[in-house]
Amino acid sequence: MTKESGVAEAVDRQYAKYPKWWLSGLNLVDLDGDGKLDLFLAAHGTDSAMALINDGQGHFREAHGSYPQTEIAPTRNEINIHPADFNADGFIDLAVHWGRYDFPQGRSRIYFNDGKMNFTDVTEKVGLHEEGLAIKGIGDLNRDGHLDLIVLENKRTEIYLNDGKGHFNRQAGAISGFEAATRPGYVSWGLAVVADFDNDGIPDILWNGRNFLWLLRGTGGGHFTYVNRQWSIEDKSAASVDDGLCFGDIDGDGDMDIVGYTGSVDSKRQIKVYRNELPAKNWIRVRPVGAPGNQGAAGATIRLSEPGYPEKLV
């Protein structure tokens, strides 16, 4: 729906106005506080960023007024930090990955928090290794209530499942169908996020890097399959500076839409807007609001259960 959404025309106008625009990030974010996801197209090294306001039905118009002509969240030296409670003790631990050109295979560590802001490196203790491991994302991949790891291990896609006490085991044969997938040029760029894109109750993974965009459909039990071709998602991402994943419900119908790249990612980058066309279902929108100092509510756990059966999650 790139043309229908108004994004194609807006991007063309911006390139006409700024021929050297370095489009360096696609960001769905509520810019005007109306509860609808707007689109911010970043600029690196040039004053040519563009903000597009969403009408709530997936149609965008250029924002008036002034706003920062830069990037929303540039990453320094490609360091990813995932704060989460991995050992279920109620305290926020850290999964840290770094690398860039200095460590082309990546490096990662797990730090446990004792609740007094003292962090201990427990990487080896929890079944992982620092060298050659790039932790790209976290999420409950097998629906057991514990946070698992999505990693590139020596450039191989792997899933590490959490036993609930913060110890991780590699899931053998976790991801299938990669024969047609774009392979990562480096491990340091990109992120992986967990969301249910087909609304079947099983978590899926959206994962980008240099220069790939993978959509992995969850098949249950922590297993996934590559479905870009089946779901018509182009396997391409710029993945430089602050480029990353861009997804959300842009038309207010309760399913996740995606914004990605098409064409060359080296010059005059072009955008694709994908509208999720799932059949309508009942859905609920949850927006966690954290206490001061944790506005994004990192570490929040959302549980849905049947009335009278608090232990039965749905």
Side-chain angles (χ1 to χ4, degrees), residues 90-125:
F91 306 126
I92 300 299
D93 310 306
L94 299 175
V96 182
H97 158 247
W98 72 101
R100 209 166 183 255
Y101 299 112
D102 298 333
F103 305 103
Q105 301 294 334
R107 286 184 170 180
S108 293
R109 291 178 185 169
I110 299 290
Y111 290 92
F112 278 176
N113 180 5
D114 68 355
K116 300 178 181 179
M117 293 296 289
N118 298 310
F119 292 87
T120 303
D121 180 359
V122 295
T123 309
E124 298 288 339
K125 184 178 179 180

Side-chain angles (χ1 to χ4, degrees), residues 151-153 155-159 175 178 183-184 207 214:
V151 309
L152 285 172
E153 187 171 20
K155 289 191 176 182
R156 300 190 313 270
T157 55
E158 300 286 359
I159 298 297
I175 303 175
F178 258 130
R183 308 310 299 171
W207 189 345
W214 298 331

Side-chain angles (χ1 to χ4, degrees), residues 160-287:
Y160 275 82
L161 297 181
N162 186 348
D163 67 357
K165 299 178 181 179
H167 190 275
F168 298 91
N169 296 287
R170 186 190 294 112
Q171 173 84 315
I175 303 175
S176 62
F178 258 130
E179 297 77 14
T182 302
R183 308 310 299 171
Y186 295 92
V187 304
S188 288
W189 287 265
L191 289 169
V193 295
V194 178
D196 186 1
F197 286 92
D198 56 357
N199 283 351
D200 64 351
I202 301 173
D204 308 309
I205 296 174
L206 184 65
W207 189 345
N208 89 309
R210 197 147 183 191
N211 286 311
F212 63 86
L213 178 66
W214 298 331
L215 190 47
L216 310 179
R217 180 178 182 268
T219 57
H223 288 85
F224 301 84
T225 186
Y226 174 84
V227 292
N228 281 61
R229 288 189 175 180
Q230 296 94 311
W231 289 5
S232 302
I233 302 295
E234 191 166 350
D235 187 346
K236 186 174 292 183
S237 175
S240 62
V241 194
D242 78 333
D243 280 289
L245 298 171
C246 191
F247 72 100
D249 182 5
I250 66 174
D251 54 355
D253 63 353
D255 52 38
M256 295 293 104
D257 310 298
I258 296 173
V259 183
Y261 284 96
T262 188
S264 172
V265 295
D266 296 321
S267 62
K268 202 173 181 179
R269 295 170 177 167
Q270 297 294 325
I271 295 170
K272 270 192 175 180
V273 180
Y274 301 95
R275 181 174 58 204
N276 196 332
E277 297 285 8
L278 283 173
K281 291 185 177 181
N282 294 327
W283 53 280
I284 182 171
R285 186 190 305 275
V286 178
R287 183 181 181 183

Side-chain angles (χ1 to χ4, degrees), residues 5-18:
S5 68
V7 172
E9 184 179 349
V11 169
D12 287 344
R13 287 198 306 268
Q14 195 74 347
Y15 274 121
K17 186 176 181 180
Y18 301 99

